[in-house]
């Protein structure tokens, strides 16, 4: 990986841990790649995650979950530590419907980190990063900060 | 009388059910490990999913007498206010405006006390009315 994270934080092991149970496990999230301040995760297409049975298009909920997780982990990557944090808000623009049958890759980036707040952005695509399906922006609060 | 919208597979995956409420459908998400984030708390993504289902379901219910109409999300902004605990979560939505092409909706999620929201969402939806617009 291109990352130069100055710590013992291991994004692959962390992904294995956070996707081993609960909702992240239920949607089948998995590690794709990471860098110094970004993280890529993916989910595979599944019929039980469909939002519109007439088109077979994935619901937007699994995409939010993926992006919440990818942006959240991007903060850990940038901080070099798995520290407690809470999502304050997350906005998602759905640029187009995800293509039925394709896996969705979510890339989260922490572009600004203060003592208490992390600012994140990201995008999701289903094969071509130049043709994204969603863009996101959000903020997280460091709950371990004084 | 208000009715109950038909829920998509993703809503069933989360375990959401809907019932007729006073001002529109009331959505219910029982706690389960499959919607858990960090231990003992609801996942933010599952809360967002519930809010989106509430927003979409409430608009679909309002449009139930219009055959062929479909809606799809343009964007959503979710604000998280409290951690969701290991108990049942409720959601309901208010339609701020339902136009020919666009609907603006707000959705709210709470647990034991409706005045203590755990999260809210504002959603912009595209409304497709085949008869009004001539689109398929």
């Amino acid at each position: 990986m291109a990352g130069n994270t100055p710590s013992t934080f291991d994004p692959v092991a962390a992904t294995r841990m956070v996707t081993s149970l609960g909702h992240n496990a239920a949607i089948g999230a998995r590690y794709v790649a990471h860098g110094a301040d970004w993280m890529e995760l993916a989910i595979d297409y599944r019929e039980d995650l469909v939002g519109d049975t007439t088109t077979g298009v994935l619901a937007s909920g699994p995409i939010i979950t993926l992006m919440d997780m990818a942006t959240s982990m991007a903060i850990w990557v940038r901080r070099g530590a798995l520290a407690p944090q809470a999502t304050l808000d997350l906005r998602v623009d759905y640029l187009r419907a995800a293509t039925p049958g394709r896996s969705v890759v979510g890339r989260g980036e922490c572009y600004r980190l203060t003592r208490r707040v992390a600012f994140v952005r990201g995008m999701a695509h289903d094969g071509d990063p130049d043709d994204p399906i969603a863009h996101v922006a959000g903020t997280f609060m460091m709950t371990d900060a004084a | 009388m208000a009715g109950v919208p038909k829920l998509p597979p993703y809503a069933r995956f989360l375990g959401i059910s809907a019932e007729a409420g006073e001002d529109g459908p009331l959505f219910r998400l029982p706690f389960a490990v499959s919607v858990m984030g960090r231990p003992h708390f609801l996942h933010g993504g599952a809360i967002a999913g519930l809010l989106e289902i509430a927003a979409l379901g409430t608009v679909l219910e309002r449009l139930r007498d219009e055959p062929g109409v479909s809606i799809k999300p343009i964007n959503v902004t979710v604000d998280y206010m409290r951690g969701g605990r290991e108990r049942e979560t409720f959601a309901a939505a208010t339609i701020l405006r339902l136009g020919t092409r666009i609907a603006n909706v707000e959705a709210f999620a709470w647990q034991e006390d409706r005045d203590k929201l755990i999260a809210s969402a504002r959603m912009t939806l595209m409304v497709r009315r085949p008869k009004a617009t001539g689109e398929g």
Side-chain angles (χ1 to χ4, degrees), chain A residues 15-134:
Chain A
T15 308
R16 204 178 299 127
M17 190 191 78
V18 302
T19 60
S20 66
L21 85 167
H23 194 54
N24 295 333
I27 68 163
R30 58 184 162 81
Y31 173 88
V32 175
H34 78 277
D37 60 357
W38 60 270
M39 186 85 194
E40 265 182 21
L41 302 170
I43 53 170
D44 295 319
Y45 182 83
R46 274 174 22 198
E47 290 189 350
D48 60 351
L49 300 180
V50 161
D52 182 345
T53 44
T54 58
T55 59
V57 170
L58 272 186
S60 44
I63 295 171
I64 290 204
T65 295
L66 176 70
M67 298 316 295
D68 180 74
M69 202 180 345
T71 51
S72 173
M73 294 195 73
I75 301 167
W76 289 340
V77 169
R78 180 159 172 166
R79 291 185 85 186
L82 202 163
Q85 58 196 17
T87 318
L88 292 179
D89 67 76
L90 195 61
R91 176 196 163 99
V92 187
D93 288 308
Y94 297 109
L95 307 181
R96 64 173 179 82
T99 308
R102 288 198 192 161
S103 298
V104 176
V105 174
R107 182 189 174 103
E109 177 197 353
C110 175
Y111 68 95
R112 167 89 179 135
L113 183 64
T114 69
R115 201 157 63 84
R116 291 193 177 86
V117 179
F119 297 86
V120 299
R121 60 191 167 203
M123 56 89 91
H125 67 82
D126 58 5
D128 179 2
D130 292 330
D131 183 21
I133 57 178

Side-chain angles (χ1 to χ4, degrees), chain B residues 7-54:
Chain B
L7 298 177
Y10 171 66
R12 290 198 293 275
F13 163 77
L14 288 178
I16 295 172
S17 61
E19 60 199 71
E22 285 173 27
D23 312 315
L26 175 70
F27 298 82
R28 214 179 257 275
L29 172 69
F31 187 83
V33 169
S34 61
V35 291
M36 188 181 75
R38 66 195 155 106
H40 311 299
F41 285 90
L42 265 180
H43 194 294
I47 297 172
L50 170 65
L51 289 164
E52 283 198 326
I53 292 292

